[in-house]
Amino acid sequence: MTDTQPTDDALREQYAAAIRPTMLIGLQGAELDGRGGTQRINEWADWIATAVAAVRDKEVEALRDALGAVARVRDLHQAWDADPGSCAHCHDSYGTPLPYPCPTALALDPQEQLSARLTEYASKDIANGEPS
């Protein structure tokens, strides 16, 4: 869990804060016995479900926004067709393209990072005349 993700306690409090004010008003002087009470309890349960779903929908929207941002960054950091082996976005202070996968691509894709490390180790073995 990162620093930007709420803890379970923080999420519970967020849900409670969405529900508590209306529940407190709704419970004052409420008759909970018999058919009327059952109907009232069912109405509250429906309202709670709606309130929790609204909070959840905001969380899902935030997650979709974050995943969209990651996808846009990933789209920038692709292998460059015009210069094979280079990142299409990254360059050093002299304007020379950085090798692909660049540090950003590696950070976004652990599988890419593993593949890059294996390739690096294999190339070192070959350069040293050792079998890979």
Side-chain angles (χ1 to χ4, degrees):
M1 188 170 289
T2 66
D3 292 339
T4 58
Q5 292 176 317
T7 63
D8 288 344
D9 289 340
L11 284 174
R12 273 192 288 280
E13 184 53 38
Q14 187 178 2
Y15 288 131
I19 295 167
R20 187 177 293 114
T22 303
M23 288 300 295
L24 290 175
I25 292 168
L27 285 172
Q28 291 178 3
E31 178 63 46
L32 299 178
D33 291 333
R35 242 176 59 192
T38 301
Q39 180 181 344
R40 184 73 171 165
I41 290 168
N42 286 330
E43 289 169 357
W44 287 336
D46 291 343
W47 183 86
I48 289 169
T50 300
V52 169
V55 173
R56 184 219 44 227
D57 290 347
K58 287 180 184 177
E59 294 169 353
V60 168
E61 183 180 346
L63 178 59
R64 285 186 180 139
D65 289 347
L67 290 173
V70 169
R72 288 188 298 277
V73 170
R74 185 176 278 125
D75 287 345
L76 290 173
H77 297 272
Q78 296 293 323
W80 191 11
D81 293 336
D83 187 0
S86 298
C87 177
H89 184 73
C90 295
H91 56 82
D92 64 18
S93 59
Y94 300 105
T96 304
L98 293 182
Y100 183 83
C102 65
T104 302
L106 294 174
L108 291 174
D109 192 349
Q111 184 62 41
E112 186 75 38
Q113 189 172 28
L114 176 62
S115 296
R117 286 187 178 164
L118 290 173
T119 301
E120 179 183 341
Y121 292 139
S123 66
K124 285 181 181 177
D125 289 342
I126 292 169
N128 293 330
E130 301 171 12
S132 54

